[in-house]
Amino acid sequence: MLVAALIALAAGCGSSSKSGDGSGAGGDTSTPRTARSAGNFHSPDKFPPASWRPWADDSPWNQRIPQRAPLDPLSTRFVDRLLEPGPVEPLRVGIADTSSDFSHAIYFANSKDPLYRVEGGSRTDPYAINGRQVRIPKGAKPAAGEDSHLAIVYDGEHWGCYRARIDTNAHVLHCDAGRRVPIDGVGLHAADTSSRFPSLGGRIRYQELAAGRIDHALFAASSRVAYTWVYPAEKSDGRWDPGKGYPPMGTRFQLDPAYMTDARLATYPTWKRAVLRAIRDYGFYLGDSTNKSLKVFPIESGTGYTSFGLADPWVTYAKRHHLPSSFDNAINRTVYTFDVDSGVDWSKLRAIGPCLASKDC
């Protein structure tokens, strides 16, 4: 099984990309697959290919931003506030299975996996998980950071859990907060994050980055989020006064296509091109607060691979592409950096009116 998984990772996990991991501009150009095929996937021997994406095609996550999209009247103020703390935060990889990992460990389960009873989380249908049973692949574990994020895709549903703990002896999954939502639904109403976005909402899977193509909006975090929210968010943990120009949770931002042209995209490395193209074509939604500057590069945790004895694919990618590294004494690890900030004029962001996502304009 592990041998098959390693072969799948090396091959781009079923991607139809002609350029593979590293070189081509196009990456996986096939049409994104419907989320209904999620039942065919399994961790760790059959991860979804790059062309698969969760949620319905008309979900806010999968909605392309059209030409002449309506801008928020406070767009300029929002962007200024968003960039106040400084440069866009780089992505650090190599932190899986350490206390620095605040990403989300994501797994795909099937009927042969062990059955667990859930304790904690929602008691209200259709989101209820408390007292319900879910299958979890043997060896799976939450991300190791304090938030202990865990998501299981099983039987057509996304089970998201915040501060998860897995008791393998009692076969109990403990969740401080959690909900289940349809994997082919709107991709909202979860409890994994402070905005109620699910773990797979806007998160980049390794297979997508390896193929050089991300066909959905991204999840972002900022230290300048207002305490109010707009669709598609349902709550906010922000602390800033919206009356002073701070963007509400759920605000959608886009890199102006007049600035981020195809010609400009072609000047960036494959991984960066994929991220910037996604922000141009789909945008990113503010989904969480952070004590740092803007974060726009949300990935699935490498724990979704290392928990099965596989190499962390993010580290493998970083090494293959000779990305800068440094030793982090706090976690006793070598970490690798994806610098998403440099070479980009982030003042070219613009806030899209929330009526686009809610289809009210």
Side-chain angles (χ1 to χ4, degrees), residues 257-273:
Y259 164 68
M260 191 52 68
T261 62
D262 286 346
R264 185 179 296 276
L265 282 172
T267 67
Y268 299 109
T270 303
W271 67 265
K272 194 166 185 174
R273 186 184 312 139

Side-chain angles (χ1 to χ4, degrees), residues 258-329:
Y259 164 68
M260 191 52 68
T261 62
D262 286 346
R264 185 179 296 276
L265 282 172
T267 67
Y268 299 109
T270 303
W271 67 265
K272 194 166 185 174
R273 186 184 312 139
V275 173
L276 296 177
R277 181 189 286 114
I279 296 174
R280 182 195 69 179
D281 293 351
Y282 295 90
F284 63 75
Y285 293 100
L286 290 181
D288 207 350
S289 292
T290 175
N291 59 2
K292 298 180 180 179
S293 56
L294 177 64
K295 300 176 71 173
V296 298
F297 200 156
I299 64 169
E300 60 173 333
S301 172
T303 294
Y305 300 84
T306 61
S307 61
F308 302 113
L310 300 173
D312 184 337
W314 301 107
V315 172
T316 301
Y317 186 100
K319 289 180 177 179
R320 184 181 305 133
H321 292 273
H322 309 290
L323 296 182
S325 64
S326 61
F327 192 79
D328 188 331
N329 289 306

Side-chain angles (χ1 to χ4, degrees), residues 55-56 58-61 121-129 157-161 177-201 219 229-235 287 357-359:
W55 323 124
D58 62 350
S59 159
W61 299 109
S122 177
R123 299 172 180 267
T124 305
D125 283 329
Y127 313 112
I129 62 171
E157 293 183 310
H158 175 290
W159 297 62
C161 187
R179 285 182 172 186
R180 57 189 172 93
V181 296
I183 195 65
D184 60 354
V186 70
L188 305 174
H189 316 311
D192 312 26
T193 63
S194 59
S195 54
R196 292 209 180 280
F197 293 159
S199 292
L200 269 172
F219 178 103
W229 60 91
V230 295
Y231 187 88
E234 296 180 59
K235 55 182 290 193
S358 60
K359 305 181 181 67

Side-chain angles (χ1 to χ4, degrees), residues 193-230:
T193 63
S194 59
S195 54
R196 292 209 180 280
F197 293 159
S199 292
L200 269 172
R203 202 154 301 277
I204 300 170
R205 296 178 297 108
Y206 166 72
Q207 291 78 18
E208 295 176 299
L209 194 73
R213 192 81 187 191
I214 302 165
D215 285 306
H216 56 77
L218 304 184
F219 178 103
S222 169
S223 60
R224 294 297 188 270
V225 180
Y227 50 72
T228 54
W229 60 91
V230 295

